[in-house]
Amino acid sequence: MRANIWSNLPEHLVERILTRLPVACFFRFRSVCKGWYNLIHSSTFLQAYSESPAQEPWFLMFTDDHYRDGSTFDPSLNKWHHIPLPSLPQKETFFPAAAAGGLVCFGCYADGWKTFVVCNPLTKACRQLPPMLNPPFRLYTVGMVVDRDTKSYKVLVAGNCEIYEVYDSAINCWKKTCILPPGFYRWHHGILCNGFLYSRRFQFDGLVAYDIQQGVWSQIQAPMPHAFDYHALVECQGRIFTVGGLLKNDITKRVCILELERTRLEWIEVDTMPSILCEEFLKDGASFSCTGYSDLVMLYITGGFRDRLVLLYDLSKKLWRRLPRCSLPDERMREGLLDGISFEPRLDVVV
């Protein structure tokens, strides 16, 4: 670590090294000097960063009903970061609807779901999308896909209007596509897997899948097990999982991880929360929520007090992990964790 050697390291090598550090470290090392502070605006640094391996997802969690306060959990450092939330329009309440490739899409209801905003939570860059052509009054699912080569992205929205709309950032407009297959839908996050957006259909139990390239829907008849309380779909390494609880007398007794077996179109139980951990997590008959991205899923008690257990599950390793308590002050955690979304932290993605 001799200074006369490292001080002469070529600038492009310094940038390459810095792109390999955890994202949280980037914000710390920006204070070292003016040159490092301005790296976020450097085209060579951002290009090198775009070529670096993907990092573990972060979890953006909200602690108030207006989605104006919250904290972000970083699994790689096992730490909560209190980064400022995106500056969304103040007069309305925007909630997180979808995430992909470092971007998060927020939606707002005002006489229909007309307004969506896409932002990069790290850089705070935001773009308000033009109004939808036919705004739905009930939202069923929202999905996102980011093209890493062209830097463009698409937002896919389905609601009670039956017509599916897709926003393309390359042309800054919405277009109508095909009709959503019939059935009963409730709001939940869609997932992207192998070029398809998957959503849960509660009537005619199963999934619907939207082919992003072809612009057509297909139906997957894959009923959930009896007494299974569905919570979330998650994609991991090209496989589809669902997280939920097994009910007895309308009370969750077990938390299970199911995988969709593509050949037989059946949900197979691949893991379950250890019973001792489950009893502690679900004490007093509490219900839980979860959000996931890639191979990590956060499970939490909605509106639970700050001392309630928060867990992280690794789908690829089949590991359960207790998370440290969120370090927000008590006055900002009165209602606990209310909602959240997981996203890939990236500095190079633009809106």
Side-chain angles (χ1 to χ4, degrees):
M1 300 301 293
R2 291 166 56 185
N4 63 330
I5 295 177
W6 288 98
S7 62
N8 293 319
L9 198 65
E11 190 66 26
H12 71 279
L13 289 183
V14 174
E15 292 185 354
R16 288 278 178 180
I17 293 170
L18 296 180
T19 62
R20 297 309 196 265
L21 296 177
V23 175
C25 296
F26 171 82
F27 294 98
R28 290 203 299 271
F29 73 59
R30 288 185 77 196
S31 62
V32 170
C33 63
K34 188 175 181 180
W36 284 15
Y37 182 84
N38 291 325
L39 275 179
I40 198 169
H41 306 298
S42 165
S43 58
T44 56
F45 172 79
L46 293 177
Q47 178 59 37
Y49 186 91
S50 69
E51 298 167 0
S52 62
Q55 301 199 26
E56 287 187 323
W58 283 13
F59 295 83
L60 178 60
M61 307 302 296
F62 295 89
T63 58
D64 77 315
D65 290 329
H66 300 289
Y67 294 87
R68 300 294 178 184
D69 198 8
S71 189
T72 304
F73 182 73
D74 176 358
S76 64
L77 299 180
N78 197 36
K79 182 178 180 181
W80 292 90
H81 301 303
H82 306 314
I83 60 176
L85 297 179
S87 299
L88 300 173
Q90 294 292 321
K91 294 183 179 180
E92 307 291 346
T93 297
F94 285 80
F95 84 102
L103 299 178
V104 177
C105 178
F106 290 82
C108 169
Y109 181 86
D111 295 326
W113 290 95
K114 300 176 182 177
T115 307
F116 289 89
V117 174
V118 172
C119 76
N120 183 329
L122 296 187
T123 66
K124 303 300 178 290
C126 290
R127 176 196 283 194
Q128 183 168 324
L129 308 188
M132 291 184 65
L133 303 175
N134 192 19
F137 283 93
R138 290 194 306 274
L139 204 59
Y140 293 154
T141 189
V142 179
M144 281 191 75
V145 59
V146 175
D147 189 318
R148 296 286 292 273
D149 295 325
T150 65
K151 310 296 184 183
S152 63
Y153 57 88
K154 293 180 179 179
V155 177
L156 310 96
V157 179
N160 65 305
C161 296
E162 295 184 344
I163 299 295
Y164 202 55
E165 292 192 29
V166 178
Y167 169 82
D168 189 340
S169 68
I171 55 178
N172 192 35
C173 70
W174 295 88
K175 68 176 182 178
K176 296 181 180 180
T177 62
C178 56
I179 296 177
L180 191 69
F184 173 69
Y185 298 86
R186 294 200 305 248
W187 157 252
H188 68 280
H189 297 289
I191 62 164
L192 286 167
C193 182
N194 301 324
F196 288 81
L197 175 73
Y198 290 88
S199 301
R200 174 80 194 279
R201 185 172 58 168
F202 293 86
Q203 184 184 4
F204 313 119
D205 194 10
L207 304 178
V208 291
Y210 179 74
D211 187 324
I212 296 173
Q213 289 293 332
Q214 301 297 323
V216 295
W217 287 96
S218 57
Q219 305 178 50
I220 301 173
Q221 300 298 329
M224 294 287 179
H226 177 67
F228 183 79
D229 185 22
Y230 159 83
H231 285 275
L233 287 174
V234 187
E235 181 275 341
C236 177
Q237 300 178 11
R239 299 150 65 192
I240 298 175
F241 297 85
T242 186
V243 183
L246 286 178
L247 301 177
K248 184 176 182 180
N249 298 325
D250 294 327
I251 297 176
T252 302
K253 295 298 184 181
R254 286 202 301 140
V255 178
C256 304
I257 312 295
L258 309 181
E259 181 180 356
L260 179 63
E261 206 289 320
R262 302 290 188 93
T263 305
R264 300 194 303 269
L265 294 181
E266 295 179 355
W267 291 100
I268 307 299
E269 183 176 313
V270 294
D271 203 1
T272 184
M273 185 183 294
S275 57
I276 295 178
L277 184 64
C278 190
E279 289 176 9
E280 182 181 358
F281 179 60
L282 297 174
K283 64 180 180 180
D284 305 322
S287 61
F288 72 96
S289 296
C290 56
T291 179
Y293 189 96
S294 184
D295 55 353
L296 297 181
V297 182
M298 178 186 284
L299 300 91
Y300 59 98
I301 305 300
T302 309
F305 295 110
R306 68 176 308 140
D307 61 343
R308 292 303 295 256
L309 196 61
V310 180
L311 302 173
L312 196 70
Y313 180 71
D314 190 317
L315 288 161
S316 60
K317 299 177 182 178
K318 294 188 177 181
L319 290 177
W320 299 90
R321 169 174 147 196
R322 300 167 183 261
L323 300 190
R325 287 176 52 181
C326 180
S327 55
L328 282 175
D330 288 342
E331 61 271 16
R332 295 170 61 186
M333 283 287 292
R334 289 193 181 97
E335 299 180 75
L337 302 177
L338 298 178
D339 195 7
I341 194 166
S342 47
F343 69 98
E344 179 187 351
R346 297 207 64 89
L347 298 167
D348 58 311
V349 182
V350 296
V351 299

